[in-house]
Each structure stands twice: as structure tokens, then as C-alpha cells.
Amino acid sequence: MQQLTLDISLHDGYRFESFYIHRENVDVVNLLGQISLNQQSGQFFFWGKKQVGKSHLLQSCCQRASAAGYITAYLPLKLLAKHGVYCTKGLSHAALIAIDDIDSVLGQPIWEEALFHLINETRQNDQTLLLGANNHPSLLKCKLPDLASRLIWGASYQIHALSELDKFLALQYRARQRGFEIPDHVISYLHNHHPSDLNTLIRLLNRIDKKSLATGRKVTIPLIKTILRKNYLDT
Amino acid sequence: MLWQQCLQQLEHHFPEQEVNTWLRTLQPQQKESMLFLLAPNPFVLQHVHENYIGQVVNIVRSLTGDPNYQVMLQIGTADVAPPPMPESQAPIPQSEPDTPPVIEVEGAVFAGNISHKMRFENFIEGQSNQLARSASLQVSEKLGETYNPLFIYGGVGLGKTHLMHAVGNAILDEAPYARVLYLHSEKFVNDMVSGLRNNTIDQFKQYYRSVDALLIDDIQFFARKARSMEEFFHTFNALMEGHKQIILTSDRFPSDVEGIDDRLRSRFSWGLTVQIEPPDLKTRVAIVHTKAYELRLEIPDDVAFFIAERFRSNIRHLEGALQRVAASVRLRNQLNITLNFVQDTLRDQLNSQDRQVTMHNIKKTVAHYYNLRIAVLDSKKRTRSIARPRQLAMALSKELTNHSLPEIGLEFGGRDHTTVIHACRKVKELLDTDLRLREDYYILKRTLIN
């Protein structure tokens, strides 16, 4: 008999704990952990390709700092750009400001100037500023030289992408965090039969989680096959 | 604390990104049965009001067990004092973030935004900034008497702001009650707008005209802001009449700053105009050592030389690299900073830099600058209008890339490495004698690096 599952969000949250750490990202994650507890102030730039976890890490940092009692501001510019530059104003009270997707507004004079002033202010107020973009700061297409020189001011860190296999191991890691196991041979099967795009994998994880909870079954290859078949029928 | 608990619960009601973007930025202040939530700007205020405030009120009332507990959402900031203060001591919020500047009581120390970190003592002097440093020093010794205004111009990240603060600190060392005000031009514009909006423009004028030294950074941002320029024009005149010191900086020569009123432009040139140029290798090495010392790093000479050699564009670039090294030293508990360790730490930065400046890019930029076709640089033509840009491109390739002399020669139409040596020598010689070429060289270098 199927068990009724509570309608709870299967979102793992933007937490350091839910971030699968690739060996090349160990330093970056440790650094962000220190920053979030205000052990380091200044300007830090984090860059990497799409889906490497920049937003996850920046938000983890905000969440932890906020939980410690600091005021934080997270500005995902890809979403906020259309509303104008007002969101960059009045942030002098925030101990930590994280600006995500810088690349999405570069080339727009009004945005470049607003970011330039924001960086100046954070320096003057001794705030911690985290910047995230899809490329190294010196390779970003920035028109305002004053901003370009400020983007490279602090230390910059690359967030490295996970290998194909690592993405599946990240799935296994997240499952363990949710309290269930995906055995190695199932991971191996998925590696051979499922796309490795992280968003798709997370959606799959949600389905596996729900299905195994509802049926009370362990995660096995037949269960995965059922889910994938249903997935296919749904689409 | 109440707001922390509330945020924890809000995470279950709204997507986490929304909580991070809109709610964590609110500054809580508790007073009796009331929670003030201060939004940084009207944009956040409106969004929170429209989307979250109802849920916030419900959670706060449920947490306090008081069905009449009030939550007030307003714009403003209170003094920042993290970690949170005990509730009973929380200050009453200030409602307006853009209150006009306050005139201090006579005899009190004037809050003029001077950074104590930037002083003459830690400003590294080199050929590129000697004149600017010496002029600044003289200005700080004889306020309003020697060069007024002092106009410092040059590319980004070369030390203009540092010199301004150094003057400010030198003045304050001698006269701690002097009214020395440093600000970015944007702040002047914002204060003026705020003065107009709040009907406190007279206070604004009085404030800016009462200083002993006014140091305004990046005046190019006044461009096309007519009312601000007009106000600054009057402030400028009032200060000059009162023999008060003015120091201004910009990224270019006064007459080249576009969108600035002619009257202002001519006044900028009344005193002394000095340029800061990119530092040479020797100066960069000295800067690395000084910055490393400030970061409490012991950097051996070979490492300092390596960083100075590879991060050439401006001082901020050097600083960024050093901060990265400092962070890695702490994270990995590294005892000795060796060349290998630094190369490994800065690997991705170095890679991206190598990708950025290529010989092809240099040829393309130089050809575009002199309105030539790229192919001409590879040709056998030796007329001066072609040979000079070619020599410049070769010298830039030697300076900005890690290619060997034969590789550079090969790239420029299969020339011999001795031709490249000759080009580099010629350009070096001309940099001291030909002002026009010198300017071209630095503009090209800046374009390529930034």
C-alpha cells in the first residue's frame, strides 16, 4: 500500500552542508565559511561556468551570516536588472553584500556606474563584498574602466565545475543528507543512462525521494527504471 | 533574537532565494511591543510590503504570543552593531537615510572620510608618480598656498585616491581639528539632490563651503550633471576665495573630460595639473613588498618580482593577487611562501591573464588605434607611419606576453629576433623623448590590459 507523503518542499536549501565539494573547490568553500562568520572582510570575486554552484555558495554565505545575526544583502542581478539600479542603494548597514550574476548587467552604463559606486561605498564602510560572475573579472566585458579596475581589486577565485561522475556523486551525497541511500551500483547505472545536467539530476532526486518514501522501497535499479519510465511518459 | 527566529520560519514559507534577496536585508530594531524593520531603499520596502509583510506579522505575533504585536516597515538604517544587541538596548531607528550633512560643533574632530590607511609613508614613489607625490606633499605643507587646485589625473588604480588621503592625513597630523573632507563626486551629487529634496540646500552649501580642504575624487562623474556642476562651481569659487585647498582627481587631463562645463574645466587648470602613470617594474616590486607587509606576509624577492612582473595593469590587480595569496596562506597554514606555492595559488588568474593579452590582440589593437590593417604590420613596408606602430606592437608583445623574441619576430611577418630587440630599444628610447608616442603607448597598454 502506498503511504501518503506530506507535501513538504524537497528543496535542500542553499547551505554549505548541501554543497558537494569538489576537491578543487575546498579552499573556496573554506574561505566562504570564514567570511560568513565575519572572520574576513574585504572584497572577494567568485567566478565559474553556469551551474557550478556560485549562487548556492553566495546564498549559503548570506544564510550563515544572517543566522549569526549579521545583516546581509543578496542581489541576483539577473533577476533584479529589469527593475533598475535602486536595489544597490542604501546598503551601508549590511555587514555582507553578495552580488550575483555581475556579467548580466555589464555593458549597461547605468549599471556599471551603480556597481562602481557600490564597490567604493563598501570599501569606505569596511563591509564584506562578494561578487559572482561567469568569468574571471579581468575577462568580463566591462565598459567603464573605473569599474573594471575595481572588479579585480580583491582576491578572485574560480569555482570549478564538477566532472560528469562527480555530478552523480553529488546526487548520492544529497540523498544521504536527506536520509536515504543511493547505492554505488545505482549511481553507476544512472551515470550510464541519465543526463548529467545538475538541475535535471536534482529533479530526479526529488522523484526518487518521493517514490521511495511513498512505496517504502529502497533505491534500486528497478525503482529507478520505473521512475525514469514515468518521467518519460510525463514528458 | 526575534527577527532571527522569524527568518528561520519564513524560510519554510517562501523560496530561499526570495528570503535572501528581500528579507535578510531588513534591519530589525525592537522597541517594547514593536518590531521595526528598516528597508535599505524604497524598492525593497515596496516589494516586502506587497509580498511578505502579512506573513511576517503572523509569524512575529505567533512567536511573541502577542496578537497585538506591531511590525513597522520603513526605510532607514540604524547604527550597525553586529552581533545583535540585547533587545532592551536596541536604539530607536532613524527614519531617513539621506539626511543632510551635519555641521559639527567648533573644536570637535571633523568626520571627513579620511582613511588612516593611506598615508605618504606607505605610498611607494617611483618615476611614474614622483611629480604627483611631491606636489601633494607640498600642498599638505602649505595649504591653499602652493598649488590650488591640485589636479591629479591618470588611469585607474594608480594611486590617485591614495595621494588624496595621504594629503588629508598629513594635514590632520599637523592640525587635528582641520576640516578636511574627502569624497567621491557621486556623494557630492547625492548630497545636493538630497538638499534640494529636503529643502536643506543652504545647509549643504554651508557644509561644503566651510571646509579647509576639499578633496574630490573622480570628477569625471560630474559630466552632464548640470545642476551639480553649477553647485560645485560656486563651492569651488567660495573655497578659492577663502584660500582653502582643493584637490581633484580624474582619469584624464582636465580639458579632455567630456561633458564638463567650460567654466569649470578652465578653473581645474588654475593650479597644478599632474599625471600619474603606470608604475615600472621596480616600483611594482616595492609596492608588492609594502602591501605584503600590510597583509603580514613575508614575501621573498623572487616571489615579489614574479607577482610584479605578471600583474602589470594597475595596483589593484597586484593587491587582488596578494590578497589571494594571503587567504591561501591562512587557509592552508602555509609557513613559507615559495614561488611554486604562489604560482599554484594564482594559477587561474594567471591563465585568464594569458588568455587576455595575445599577440594577435596586440596587433589588432595597435592596427585599429593607428587606423591600419593588421596585415600591414606583417608586411615588409618600412615607412615611418607603419614601422612605428609595428615597433610599438612588438614592444608591447614583449612586455605583455611571455613569448620569446624569436616567437614575436615570427608573428610579425617572420622577422628576425634582432629586429624585435631593436624595436624594443627604439620604443624605450622614444618613451623618454617623444611625448606623443609615450601617450599612445600608455593608452594602448591600458586598453590591452583592461
Side-chain angles (χ1 to χ4, degrees):
Chain A
M1 196 178 114
Q2 279 213 345
Q3 212 177 5
L4 282 174
T5 53
L6 287 172
D7 185 22
I8 51 165
S9 164
L10 290 169
H11 192 263
D12 300 298
Y14 296 117
R15 301 282 190 279
F16 286 113
E17 295 74 27
S18 60
F19 189 79
Y20 177 81
I21 307 174
H22 183 275
R23 64 186 181 284
E24 288 198 82
N25 291 331
V26 172
D27 275 1
V28 181
V29 177
N30 286 340
L31 175 75
L32 278 160
Q34 290 189 0
I35 292 170
S36 64
L37 298 172
N38 212 22
Q39 289 175 2
Q40 283 202 36
S41 62
Q43 179 184 318
F44 304 87
F45 198 104
F46 301 93
W47 61 279
K49 290 177 187 160
K50 209 174 157 189
Q51 287 194 0
V52 293
K54 299 183 293 291
S55 304
H56 185 126
L57 285 174
L58 293 183
Q59 292 192 73
S60 301
C61 212
C62 287
Q63 188 279 332
R64 191 179 278 180
S66 169
Y70 297 103
I71 306 292
T72 63
Y74 173 68
L75 308 180
L77 297 189
K78 209 179 272 178
L79 292 173
L80 297 175
K82 58 177 183 273
H83 301 292
V85 298
Y86 309 106
C87 62
T88 63
K89 308 288 179 199
L91 297 173
S92 61
H93 66 294
L96 187 151
I97 301 172
I99 310 180
D100 208 354
D101 312 315
I102 295 259
D103 46 285
S104 65
V105 298
L106 293 182
Q108 300 176 46
I110 191 165
W111 268 104
E112 292 200 351
E113 208 177 313
L115 289 175
F116 165 71
H117 295 310
L118 182 60
I119 293 175
N120 287 340
E121 280 165 29
T122 58
R123 288 252 159 191
Q124 204 157 338
N125 299 331
D126 271 332
Q127 291 166 283
T128 300
L129 178 65
L130 311 181
L131 304 163
N134 63 0
N135 212 340
H136 187 275
S138 62
L139 295 176
L140 290 172
K141 302 220 177 304
C142 181
K143 284 183 180 165
L144 185 66
D146 307 75
L147 175 64
S149 87
R150 275 157 182 83
L151 292 177
I152 55 171
W153 207 342
S156 56
Y157 294 85
Q158 182 175 8
I159 299 180
H160 295 271
L162 296 179
S163 67
E164 293 296 292
L165 178 63
D166 271 327
K167 287 179 189 169
F168 289 90
L169 294 176
L171 187 78
Q172 191 178 36
Y173 174 79
R174 283 230 177 158
R176 205 166 288 146
Q177 288 219 311
R178 290 187 185 183
F180 68 100
E181 279 290 330
I182 306 182
D184 289 347
H185 69 278
V186 177
I187 287 293
S188 216
Y189 174 82
L190 280 170
H191 186 210
N192 293 328
H193 294 86
H194 196 271
S196 61
D197 159 58
L198 263 182
N199 285 341
T200 321
L201 284 175
I202 295 298
R203 278 200 295 275
L204 175 69
L205 182 71
N206 290 343
R207 282 174 171 266
I208 298 173
D209 195 358
K210 268 193 170 174
K211 187 79 179 169
S212 70
L213 190 63
T215 58
R217 287 171 64 188
K218 286 192 173 179
V219 182
T220 57
I221 292 176
L223 180 79
I224 295 288
K225 281 182 178 169
T226 318
I227 293 168
L228 291 180
R229 208 176 306 124
K230 182 153 194 319
N231 221 355
Y232 173 75
L233 291 174
D234 285 352
T235 54
Chain B
M1 194 188 169
L2 178 61
W3 179 238
Q4 246 69 54
Q5 291 172 310
C6 184
L7 278 173
Q8 276 175 17
Q9 295 210 13
L10 285 164
E11 283 172 19
H12 300 298
H13 290 85
F14 301 107
E16 203 169 353
Q17 182 165 297
E18 291 186 25
V19 176
N20 289 332
T21 305
W22 304 105
L23 298 167
R24 292 195 200 283
T25 189
L26 300 175
Q27 196 180 6
Q29 294 291 310
Q30 266 178 267
K31 191 170 182 276
E32 291 161 6
S33 296
M34 203 174 265
L35 174 67
F36 289 90
L37 292 175
L38 306 180
N41 51 56
F43 177 59
V44 171
L45 179 100
Q46 190 185 343
H47 194 86
V48 173
H49 181 73
E50 286 171 3
N51 299 282
Y52 312 110
I53 199 67
Q55 194 65 44
V56 169
V57 171
N58 289 342
I59 292 173
V60 166
R61 287 181 177 167
S62 138
L63 284 169
T64 56
D66 178 355
N68 297 316
Y69 204 96
Q70 295 292 306
V71 177
M72 299 286 286
L73 183 64
Q74 60 188 59
I75 296 174
T77 49
D79 290 338
V80 184
M85 299 169 74
E87 290 169 17
S88 57
Q89 293 173 24
I92 297 166
Q94 297 161 5
S95 56
E96 279 298 314
D98 51 358
T99 44
V102 177
I103 306 294
E104 280 78 9
V105 181
E106 206 171 316
V109 175
F110 180 79
N113 308 324
I114 302 295
S115 163
H116 299 297
K117 291 178 193 163
M118 294 186 250
R119 311 181 62 89
F120 281 116
E121 292 80 10
N122 60 0
F123 184 86
I124 305 300
E125 187 179 351
Q127 216 182 348
S128 59
N129 57 35
Q130 214 164 24
L131 189 59
R133 183 187 178 275
S134 147
S136 303
L137 200 58
Q138 286 185 49
V139 161
S140 69
E141 284 162 358
K142 288 183 178 171
L143 217 54
E145 288 178 28
T146 42
Y147 309 118
N148 206 9
L150 174 63
F151 192 102
I152 307 169
Y153 78 98
V156 290
L158 299 180
K160 301 187 294 291
T161 305
H162 190 134
L163 273 182
M164 273 190 156
H165 284 280
V167 172
N169 278 309
I171 297 169
L172 292 171
D173 286 347
E174 285 301 309
Y177 297 115
R179 300 172 67 83
V180 184
L181 178 62
Y182 164 85
L183 73 155
H184 193 266
S185 55
E186 166 81 355
K187 174 83 169 72
F188 185 91
V189 175
N190 288 344
D191 282 353
M192 191 205 68
V193 171
S194 163
L196 290 171
R197 194 195 300 146
N198 301 329
N199 210 18
T200 53
I201 194 73
D202 287 341
Q203 260 180 283
F204 165 85
K205 288 177 182 173
Q206 194 190 341
Y207 177 74
Y208 280 102
R209 292 173 197 184
S210 70
V211 298
D212 298 314
L214 180 63
L215 323 176
I216 301 200
D217 219 347
D218 290 325
I219 54 99
Q220 70 271 20
F221 286 98
F222 275 141
R224 286 173 274 278
K225 290 168 182 151
R227 182 68 211 260
S228 302
M229 274 192 278
E230 192 189 331
E231 205 48 64
F232 182 64
F233 176 76
H234 295 306
T235 304
F236 186 99
N237 290 342
L239 291 175
M240 291 297 277
E241 275 168 26
H243 302 289
K244 307 296 183 188
Q245 182 66 47
I246 297 174
I247 306 181
L248 306 166
T249 70
S250 170
D251 61 347
R252 62 206 86 164
F253 193 73
S255 60
D256 294 339
V257 184
E258 288 169 16
I260 294 276
D261 190 285
D262 284 344
R263 293 178 306 169
L264 260 185
R265 227 198 299 249
S266 78
R267 272 162 177 74
F268 291 161
S269 312
W270 278 1
L272 178 70
T273 301
V274 284
Q275 186 182 9
I276 296 190
E277 289 172 9
D280 54 22
L281 180 63
K282 199 174 140 199
T283 312
R284 291 202 304 274
V285 172
I287 291 170
V288 171
H289 276 303
T290 307
K291 298 273 175 200
Y293 177 76
E294 286 169 6
L295 291 164
R296 295 181 196 155
L297 289 179
E298 267 188 55
I299 295 252
D301 287 343
D302 61 333
V303 171
F305 185 83
F306 173 77
I307 295 175
E309 244 277 303
R310 296 304 304 267
F311 296 90
R312 312 174 181 96
S313 64
N314 61 51
I315 297 154
R316 290 192 185 111
H317 214 174
L318 281 179
E319 238 181 302
L322 267 178
Q323 277 172 7
R324 173 80 196 255
V325 172
S328 294
V329 166
R330 276 193 294 269
L331 285 166
R332 297 184 201 171
N333 291 320
Q334 182 79 15
L335 295 175
N336 295 319
I337 304 173
T338 61
L339 192 55
N340 278 345
F341 173 77
V342 171
Q343 283 171 335
D344 181 51
T345 301
L346 301 176
R347 199 178 54 225
D348 51 274
Q349 297 199 34
L350 294 167
N351 286 345
S352 62
Q353 194 159 305
D354 290 344
R355 262 184 287 150
Q356 190 187 8
V357 186
T358 61
M359 279 199 282
H360 178 72
N361 200 5
I362 291 171
K363 282 164 75 178
K364 197 173 136 189
T365 309
V366 171
H368 178 73
Y369 185 79
Y370 287 105
N371 212 9
L372 299 170
R373 283 182 298 113
I374 299 179
V376 170
L377 297 177
D378 299 341
S379 71
K380 301 281 177 211
K381 288 182 184 167
R382 292 169 65 180
T383 52
R384 181 174 286 190
S385 61
I386 293 169
R388 205 58 99 222
R390 184 188 295 132
Q391 287 172 333
L392 265 180
M394 285 181 176
L396 284 164
S397 300
K398 181 73 190 85
E399 191 179 344
L400 301 178
T401 72
N402 293 320
H403 290 290
S404 64
L405 294 169
E407 281 171 344
I408 296 172
L410 200 65
E411 176 71 20
F412 286 83
R415 287 178 158 76
D416 191 66
H417 77 280
T418 52
T419 311
V420 183
I421 294 175
H422 173 73
C424 295
R425 280 192 190 143
K426 187 73 192 169
V427 169
K428 195 174 175 218
E429 183 190 310
L430 290 171
L431 284 176
D432 291 329
T433 53
D434 186 339
L435 282 178
R436 183 76 226 171
L437 181 126
R438 186 187 167 94
E439 200 179 333
D440 291 350
Y441 183 82
Y442 285 119
I443 291 172
L444 283 165
K445 192 171 158 184
R446 217 156 56 209
T447 311
L448 285 161
I449 293 170
N450 286 328

